[in-house]
Amino acid sequence: NKKDQQGIRVNAQLAVGPSIGLLMPYYIKYSRNNRMEIENFDSSIHTFNNVIGSASFFEGLDELKIKPGINIKAAINFEFSPSKSTTAIEVGFLGDFFPGGVDIMPTAKEYSFYPTAFITLFYGRKY
């Protein structure tokens, strides 16, 4: 509980834990000899001129791989509310690190660290 119910309570938070990434190959609809084929995209074989579009989201779901990583969160929380209700704002940074990099798109550079900034608004009641 806050000492002064009319004041603002400021909390700092630092958290570290595991992250689980799910990797799934990117399948495309490709025109080959006037026939549409669904294939895993390979930039050395496929040209962008013959790509019709992306395949269904569920295409390649059976090839799903798990990529373990580390998550870090740093935030500051400002609570404005009196005792029974909750009104607060949290501002922070979240980062996910995956050793060895993650291949998101076949022609894009692989990154190991994915940063995120966030603002969270809390409104509710304490029990």
Side-chain angles (χ1 to χ4, degrees):
N1 290 332
K2 293 192 303 183
K3 290 183 181 182
D4 179 10
Q5 294 302 320
Q6 300 302 317
I8 298 173
R9 182 167 76 177
V10 179
N11 295 321
Q13 182 182 38
L14 181 64
V16 178
S19 246
I20 299 173
L22 301 175
L23 301 176
M24 190 169 75
Y26 183 64
Y27 278 84
I28 58 169
K29 293 178 184 172
Y30 191 75
S31 176
R32 179 175 284 124
N33 300 326
N34 293 327
R35 286 186 30 216
M36 184 187 75
E37 297 181 16
I38 295 177
E39 301 176 348
N40 191 354
F41 182 77
D42 184 354
S43 60
S44 63
I45 299 171
H46 301 109
T47 62
F48 289 105
N49 296 336
N50 292 342
V51 174
I52 298 169
S54 61
S56 165
F57 174 78
F58 300 104
E59 198 71 44
L61 195 60
D62 58 334
E63 300 174 50
L64 194 71
K65 295 178 184 173
I66 294 176
K67 178 85 173 184
I70 298 170
N71 175 285
I72 185 166
K73 175 184 175 182
I76 297 177
N77 182 297
F78 302 93
E79 185 179 330
F80 305 103
S81 59
S83 61
K84 290 293 180 190
S85 65
T86 300
T87 305
I89 186 169
E90 185 175 68
V91 179
F93 169 82
L94 182 68
D96 287 301
F97 175 73
F98 297 98
V102 177
D103 186 18
I104 293 186
M105 290 295 287
T107 58
K109 183 179 175 186
E110 290 185 17
Y111 291 99
S112 294
F113 185 69
Y114 295 90
T116 305
F118 66 89
I119 297 174
T120 305
L121 302 174
F122 295 101
Y123 182 76
R125 181 170 171 82
K126 291 181 183 178
Y127 293 99

